[in-house]
Amino acid sequence: MQYDYVVGELRRDDELAAFALVCSVATTFDEKDWAAVFDDSRNWRCISASDLAGRVRGLAVFRLMMHPEAGLLMDVPIFIALSAADHHQIAESLFSSLEAQATACQFMRVWTNLPGSLQELEDPDFFRRWDHGVIYRVHPKPIGPAWR
């Protein structure tokens, strides 16, 4: 069965539904920490995948930061795709959206374990480490036709 999903910036009225999704897999991440993610000074961005009925089925929380070895890095500590029927398509849709937004980066890192708190999410020492996620080399997209 084919499902369709709408992927885009997490809407303000979906923040609570997205938090419920986070809690289903990261039980120690509390509501106060989740609210802090949306503080503009922290530079976190959230994209969601919603089904056609508007239910949040997937979520990615990320930010672009300068890493000492990798240069500009898209760091994705929260990547969730939950569906009994179609989690692969949700994950593919979210990842494609992330990749499209990471063109200025050389690498994207998707954490293998979700952070348990805001403190872990923003720990600068943990950010600098290179051993806690899947590292994906972002290939820049061609700007236009290749002229010879």
Side-chain angles (χ1 to χ4, degrees), residues 1-141:
M1 182 173 213
Q2 180 72 24
Y3 294 90
D4 291 316
Y5 299 95
V6 177
V7 177
E9 292 288 328
L10 180 68
R11 296 184 348 225
R12 283 292 205 195
D13 57 342
D14 284 337
E15 287 176 12
L16 189 56
F19 179 62
L21 199 62
V22 170
C23 287
S24 70
V25 292
T27 57
T28 61
F29 206 93
D30 70 29
E31 194 171 356
K32 170 181 56 77
D33 288 349
W34 181 246
V37 167
F38 298 99
D39 178 346
D40 289 338
S41 68
R42 295 183 182 294
N43 295 320
W44 290 108
R45 294 187 49 209
C46 301
I47 58 171
S48 65
S50 300
D51 61 22
L52 296 179
R55 292 179 294 269
V56 177
R57 299 294 186 181
L59 178 71
V61 176
F62 68 96
R63 66 180 171 182
L64 307 180
M65 289 188 62
M66 195 57 69
H67 189 277
E69 285 102 33
L72 188 60
L73 171 74
M74 176 182 270
D75 203 27
V76 187
I78 299 174
F79 186 93
I80 303 167
L82 286 180
S83 169
D86 202 26
H87 64 276
H88 293 294
Q89 185 180 353
I90 296 167
E92 283 180 26
S93 298
L94 284 171
F95 194 82
S96 292
S97 180
L98 288 170
E99 188 177 29
Q101 295 180 57
T103 57
C105 302
Q106 188 171 0
F107 297 99
M108 178 190 319
R109 173 177 55 198
V110 179
W111 291 23
T112 48
N113 291 317
L114 292 170
S117 67
L118 183 67
Q119 181 179 356
E120 184 180 349
L121 183 79
E122 295 185 334
D123 182 336
D125 292 328
F126 198 65
F127 171 76
R128 284 190 290 278
R129 288 175 35 192
W130 204 243
D131 64 348
H132 63 88
V134 176
I135 308 301
Y136 174 77
R137 182 179 294 278
V138 177
H139 297 286
K141 306 293 181 263

